[in-house]
Amino acid sequence: MEETNREAVATAVQRVAGMLQRSDQLDKVEQYRRREARKKASVEARLKAAIQSQLDGVRTGLTQLHNALCDVKDIQNSLADVSKDWRQSISTIENLKDVKDAVVQHSQLASAVENLKNIFSVPEIVRETHDLIEQGELLQAHRKLMDLECSRDDLMYEQYRMDSKNVHDMNLIRSYFGQVQGLSEELSKQLWMVLQRAMVTVRRDPTMLVSVVRIIEREEKIDRKMLDRKKQTGFIPPGRPKCWKNRMNEFLEGTVSARIESTQSETRESDKMWLVRLLEITRKYVLDDLTVVKNLMVQCFPPHYNTFQVFFDLYHKSVSARVQELAAEDLEANEIVSLLTWVLNTYKSVDMMGHPDLQPECDVKQLEPLLPQHVVDDLLGKYLQTFTSNITGWLRKALETDKKDWQKETEPEADQDGYYQTTLPAIVFQMFEQNLQVAAQISETFKEQLLRVCLKQMNSFLVRYLIKKNQILESVNSLKRKYSQSTEATQNDPAIDKLLNEVAREGCQFLLDEVFLDLERHLNELLTRKWLLGSHAVDTICATVEDYFNDFAKIKKPNNQEMTSEAHRRVVVEYLKAIMQKRISFKNADERKEGADRMMKEAEQFRFLFRKLSAGEDTDRPCDAIAAIAEVFKLTDPGLLYLEVSTLVSSYPDIREEHIVALLAVRGDSSREMRQMIIETLNQNKPSTSSASQPVFRDITVPSITMTAMTSMTVPKLLK
């Protein structure tokens, strides 16, 4: 307490010191004192209020505890009175046992009197009930059966109440009514027979089906009553609960399953279209039966049975089980297509579950898939595998057939424009299109997958066959436009385009090889002494090429143009090769002039020929190389030879050092020192490569013997 006082004094000193730091603050001492006095009074008032509140709470709590104690004492006294009264009533209850036994006996006698008539007439009622069952009077038979069961159950219940352990009397009653259980079973058999033939019965005699449903409803009501009494007394009559409604549902489910399973009447061995027939029969049965359920059977059942939905689910379940059995069989490719088309498209279409006659009760959107997705994927994978194997065989066979057609002596077929064509593309793409049409019946996704397989197979096919580029390309693009939903390029597109270009080039090369095989002898005459003396080799070359290309006129334009361009290039290259092979070396200026003039003339012949073959297109560029070399040969002043060679190299950057050496050797008047000087100067002033320049000399090699004879350089260097 003293420590607290000291801390309070120290705090007060600090506050006073803070207030009186300046001399002018002394005038406000009285003001400060009053303010602190007000604060003190406020704090004391709050403390008093808090203490008063606590005291009030304690007082209230004590009052409530006192009241609770009084209540407990009152309850204790009441319990003592109850205990005293209970002990006094025990003797009274024991004295009433005789009265209780008399009441039970009276109840049994009353039940016996009430059922006395039925008890004495049990054999007669059993016979009547049996006759009614045989006559099909099911409602009347059930009424008598209920009377018999009611008499038996009441007697057994009263016996159970009087002495539940008296097995002898209970068995006596059970034995006396023993035939009642047999009648119940006999009646139930008739009910199940009607339900098994419900689809036929509801058309011929719907009242029979209504009677069956009413009987089952009665039995369900009795079952509930007996179960409720069992909860109260522990007694349940024999044969209860019958649960006929559950058995009815089981029979209906079995009837639907049998209906679906009975649709298969043929096998693959007897009919290749067995699966198509089976699926069509199933479709017809399901649609007809559900229509009957909606229009007739629903009226025979109470609304709470939800009859249409029950049958709808049963048929869906049975059909699903059946198609899963079919999917597990070793189906062929066409059978897989038939099954999946039916499952994925036909089943929910307007031809079956979505039929207008079943609307609006039938909601196909709520139907679960007939086949699990993994089963569908397995079937599609099996079909793709089989298709891939089959299409490989088909393409190989088509290839062999086309090969035999081209080897015939007769002229190939032509299209409406007169161009030669092969029927192979039409055959191949007809096979592709037929399979794509089938795939489209299954799903758009599967169609895209099959299209990718077709394009992939086309890659392999093109490697094995040389065929016209445009025919194949048009067919590929047609397939993609018709069967692909995507406008984006597939991963097969670049490979197919590349292969088609390679195939086109190889086809042109093959035909041109035949042309140049005939030209070989005449090409060998170029730039020889015989040529210089007046050979007609170029005339013959031009006439031969023109004659061949007259035959090639029935090749479609894009391929014909490509062949013309390639033939032009090869003619010029062969001409330049003749120069580089040093078949001739001019002896003097007159021979050089004569040879150059001849080269100019023959270059013009080539220009004229290929302008004619290419329908006037610009084809001068390759022949300009011949004219440029002729200018080198024609030059009379050796001092200007470097400038002429430099111009040639600038125009044709692909020309190499060995080419220049060979040209100078053919010219025949350049010394070894001059050749070396020209080469070294050109090496020091390499011309820039023009991106627009067309390589002419790139594929021309110079025989090593020429190089050895003409220069001491052993390693050629590129001028660019």
Side-chain angles (χ1 to χ4, degrees):
M1 190 65 178
E2 293 178 359
E3 182 67 25
T4 303
N5 290 335
R6 284 196 298 272
E7 290 179 358
V9 171
T11 302
V13 170
Q14 288 181 354
R15 291 191 63 185
V16 171
M19 294 178 185
L20 302 176
Q21 290 181 358
R22 299 189 306 275
S23 58
D24 59 343
Q25 292 178 332
L26 293 175
D27 297 338
K28 299 180 181 180
V29 170
E30 184 61 26
Q31 182 180 349
Y32 292 154
R33 187 185 65 78
R34 288 195 300 270
R35 186 177 65 186
E36 293 299 323
R38 286 195 300 272
K39 289 183 179 179
K40 179 181 178 183
S42 175
V43 171
E44 289 176 350
R46 289 199 299 272
L47 287 173
K48 289 179 181 179
I51 293 172
Q52 184 65 38
S53 176
Q54 293 292 329
L55 290 174
D56 292 341
V58 171
R59 185 180 298 109
T60 302
L62 290 173
T63 302
Q64 291 176 347
L65 288 173
H66 177 73
N67 294 335
L69 180 61
C70 294
D71 293 340
V72 169
K73 289 180 179 179
D74 292 340
I75 293 171
Q76 188 176 9
N77 294 332
S78 299
L79 288 174
D81 294 339
V82 170
S83 178
K84 181 180 178 180
D85 294 340
W86 177 73
R87 290 189 186 94
Q88 293 176 354
S89 64
I90 290 177
S91 59
T92 305
I93 294 173
E94 291 177 351
N95 294 331
L96 293 175
K97 184 176 184 303
D98 295 337
V99 177
K100 178 180 178 182
D101 293 340
V103 170
V104 171
Q105 187 176 9
H106 180 271
S107 177
Q108 290 178 340
L109 292 173
S111 178
V113 171
E114 182 180 353
N115 294 286
L116 189 61
K117 180 180 179 181
N118 290 337
I119 291 173
F120 285 112
S121 60
V122 165
E124 182 182 354
I125 297 176
V126 168
R127 287 193 299 271
E128 291 177 356
T129 305
H130 179 74
D131 293 340
L132 289 171
I133 292 175
E134 288 186 346
Q135 295 169 9
E137 300 293 337
L138 302 183
L139 278 177
Q140 297 181 31
H142 185 252
R143 172 59 63 185
K144 291 184 176 295
L145 176 63
M146 286 194 301
D147 292 340
L148 290 171
E149 289 179 338
C150 182
S151 299
R152 179 198 63 184
D153 296 345
D154 288 346
L155 290 172
M156 294 183 74
Y157 175 64
E158 295 301 333
Q159 176 61 38
Y160 179 84
R161 288 177 59 193
M162 183 176 69
D163 187 3
S164 60
K165 296 182 180 179
N166 190 344
V167 179
H168 178 269
D169 291 347
M170 193 72 75
N171 288 337
L172 182 63
I173 299 173
R174 187 193 301 269
S175 176
Y176 186 77
F177 287 91
Q179 292 180 301
V180 174
Q181 185 63 30
L183 286 176
S184 177
E185 294 175 358
E186 185 179 351
L187 178 62
S188 67
K189 290 180 181 178
Q190 294 298 319
L191 301 183
W192 311 145
M193 188 180 299
V194 172
L195 289 174
Q196 285 177 337
R197 304 177 67 249
M199 289 297 172
V200 177
T201 303
V202 77
R203 290 183 175 97
R204 296 180 179 177
D205 186 9
T207 57
M208 179 67 74
L209 185 59
V210 172
S211 298
V212 170
V213 175
R214 289 180 61 186
I215 292 171
I216 293 174
E217 278 289 286
R218 290 174 183 173
E219 290 295 336
E220 283 292 301
K221 185 177 180 180
I222 297 173
D223 278 349
R224 289 192 295 270
K225 179 180 178 181
M226 294 298 105
L227 289 173
D228 290 341
R229 188 165 67 178
K230 179 184 178 183
K231 293 178 182 179
Q232 298 174 1
T233 65
F235 173 76
I236 187 77
R240 291 290 178 184
K242 293 184 179 180
C243 300
W244 279 6
K245 185 176 181 181
N246 291 339
R247 295 189 64 187
M248 176 188 71
N249 293 334
E250 293 174 0
F251 271 94
L252 290 177
E253 182 174 359
T255 301
V256 172
S257 298
R259 179 78 163 163
I260 298 301
E261 292 175 359
S262 66
T263 55
Q264 184 169 353
S265 59
E266 298 175 338
T267 61
R268 182 186 294 117
E269 289 73 19
S270 60
D271 186 357
K272 292 297 183 181
M273 301 297 290
W274 68 276
L275 184 58
V276 175
R277 296 181 185 278
L278 185 153
L279 295 174
E280 176 57 22
I281 294 173
T282 302
R283 182 198 68 80
K284 188 176 184 302
Y285 277 14
V286 172
L287 180 59
D288 290 348
D289 289 356
L290 287 178
T291 303
V292 170
V293 171
K294 178 187 175 184
N295 296 331
L296 299 177
M297 194 171 293
V298 169
Q299 303 171 13
C300 300
F301 289 82
H304 67 272
Y305 272 54
N306 200 10
T307 305
F308 182 82
Q309 188 62 45
V310 169
F311 274 91
F312 186 74
D313 294 339
L314 288 177
Y315 273 97
H316 178 72
K317 180 180 178 181
S318 298
V319 172
S320 178
R322 184 65 180 122
V323 296
Q324 289 187 49
E325 292 176 0
L326 294 172
E329 296 185 11
D330 187 17
L331 297 177
E332 297 177 355
N334 62 318
E335 294 170 349
I336 292 175
V337 171
S338 298
L339 180 62
L340 290 180
T341 302
W342 193 88
V343 167
L344 299 177
N345 298 318
T346 303
Y347 183 69
K348 292 186 179 182
S349 71
V350 295
D351 295 327
M352 195 171 177
M353 305 304 273
H355 196 279
D357 291 346
L358 302 181
Q359 304 305 315
E361 287 81 355
C362 180
D363 187 2
V364 295
K365 296 181 180 178
Q366 296 181 357
L367 287 173
E368 294 292 329
L370 285 178
L371 288 176
Q373 188 58 43
H374 70 89
V375 176
V376 175
D377 293 339
D378 290 344
L379 289 175
L380 292 177
K382 181 179 179 182
Y383 179 84
L384 284 176
Q385 183 179 4
T386 304
F387 171 75
T388 303
S389 176
N390 289 342
I391 202 67
T392 302
W394 293 338
L395 291 175
R396 186 178 293 110
K397 184 177 180 180
L399 188 62
E400 292 298 325
T401 303
D402 195 69
K403 180 180 178 181
K404 293 178 181 179
D405 290 342
W406 280 105
Q407 290 176 345
K408 292 179 180 179
E409 297 297 330
T410 58
E411 185 174 313
E413 295 182 7
D415 61 11
Q416 65 273 16
D417 298 322
Y419 294 113
Y420 286 142
Q421 66 173 4
T422 172
T423 59
L424 182 59
I427 296 173
V428 169
F429 286 95
Q430 184 179 8
M431 290 189 294
F432 285 165
E433 184 158 6
Q434 288 174 352
N435 283 275
L436 287 168
Q437 289 174 352
V438 170
Q441 297 175 6
I442 297 176
S443 69
E444 289 296 321
T445 302
F446 181 61
K447 183 191 68 176
E448 294 283 348
Q449 290 178 347
L450 196 68
L451 178 59
R452 288 193 290 271
V453 172
C454 292
L455 297 178
K456 183 177 180 181
Q457 287 297 315
M458 182 54 61
N459 277 332
S460 302
F461 177 69
L462 290 175
V463 172
R464 300 192 302 266
Y465 193 74
L466 300 177
I467 196 168
K468 291 181 177 64
K469 171 185 173 184
N470 282 6
Q471 275 186 283
I472 291 289
L473 185 58
E474 290 171 2
S475 300
V476 169
N477 291 334
S478 175
L479 277 183
K480 288 168 60 180
R481 287 193 303 269
K482 189 172 183 180
Y483 292 100
S484 178
Q485 300 297 320
S486 174
T487 57
E488 298 179 358
T490 66
Q491 60 180 3
N492 294 305
D493 290 356
I496 290 179
D497 291 341
K498 180 180 179 182
L499 278 171
L500 289 173
N501 289 327
E502 291 178 357
V503 164
R505 285 193 294 270
E506 290 179 9
C508 293
Q509 187 70 29
F510 176 80
L511 294 174
L512 290 177
D513 286 345
E514 293 291 328
V515 177
F516 281 85
L517 185 63
D518 282 357
L519 297 179
E520 183 176 2
R521 180 169 60 88
H522 306 291
L523 292 171
N524 289 335
E525 290 185 10
L526 297 176
L527 273 295
T528 61
R529 282 290 163 184
K530 182 179 179 181
W531 168 80
L532 187 61
L533 295 175
S535 170
H536 297 286
V538 171
D539 296 335
T540 305
I541 291 171
C542 291
T544 303
V545 170
E546 185 174 5
D547 183 57
Y548 268 101
F549 272 83
N550 286 334
D551 294 337
F552 296 159
K554 293 190 176 182
I555 297 176
K556 288 190 174 181
K557 185 175 181 180
N559 299 315
N560 194 304
Q561 289 176 337
E562 189 171 349
M563 289 180 63
T564 302
S565 177
E566 178 62 16
H568 191 178
R569 189 193 69 82
R570 286 183 65 170
V571 166
V572 172
V573 168
E574 292 296 328
Y575 198 100
L576 296 177
K577 281 183 180 179
I579 299 173
M580 300 304 168
Q581 289 174 358
K582 192 183 172 289
R583 299 174 183 175
I584 188 174
S585 179
F586 298 123
K587 298 178 180 179
N588 51 50
D590 291 338
E591 283 192 355
R592 284 193 290 277
K593 183 178 184 306
E594 184 178 355
D597 291 342
R598 192 171 187 84
M599 290 173 63
M600 292 283 194
K601 176 184 176 184
E602 291 173 347
E604 188 58 36
Q605 282 183 269
F606 290 144
R607 288 193 187 99
F608 179 79
L609 170 65
F610 287 104
R611 282 181 193 147
K612 181 179 180 181
L613 295 179
S614 60
E617 293 185 7
D618 183 15
T619 58
D620 293 348
R621 177 66 183 174
C623 294
D624 290 346
I626 300 175
I629 293 176
E631 292 294 339
V632 175
F633 292 158
K634 191 175 182 180
L635 187 66
T636 56
D637 185 0
L640 299 177
L641 189 58
Y642 166 74
L643 294 176
E644 197 65 43
V645 172
S646 177
T647 302
L648 177 64
V649 173
S650 299
S651 301
Y652 300 93
D654 61 319
I655 196 168
R656 299 190 296 274
E657 181 178 306
E658 60 265 32
H659 296 143
I660 301 301
V661 173
L663 290 178
L664 296 177
V666 173
R667 180 177 167 85
D669 65 340
S670 58
S671 63
R672 179 178 177 181
E673 290 76 11
M674 180 180 294
R675 291 195 296 270
Q676 289 181 344
M677 180 190 71
I678 292 174
I679 295 298
E680 291 174 358
T681 305
L682 290 174
N683 282 334
Q684 294 173 1
N685 301 279
K686 296 178 182 178
S688 59
T689 303
S690 173
S691 59
S693 61
Q694 182 180 5
V696 178
F697 294 89
R698 181 181 59 192
D699 299 328
I700 300 176
T701 58
V702 179
S704 59
I705 185 171
T706 303
M707 292 296 298
T708 303
M710 299 305 297
T711 180
S712 61
M713 297 181 180
T714 57
V715 181
K717 299 178 181 179
L718 291 177
L719 295 181
K720 58 176 180 176

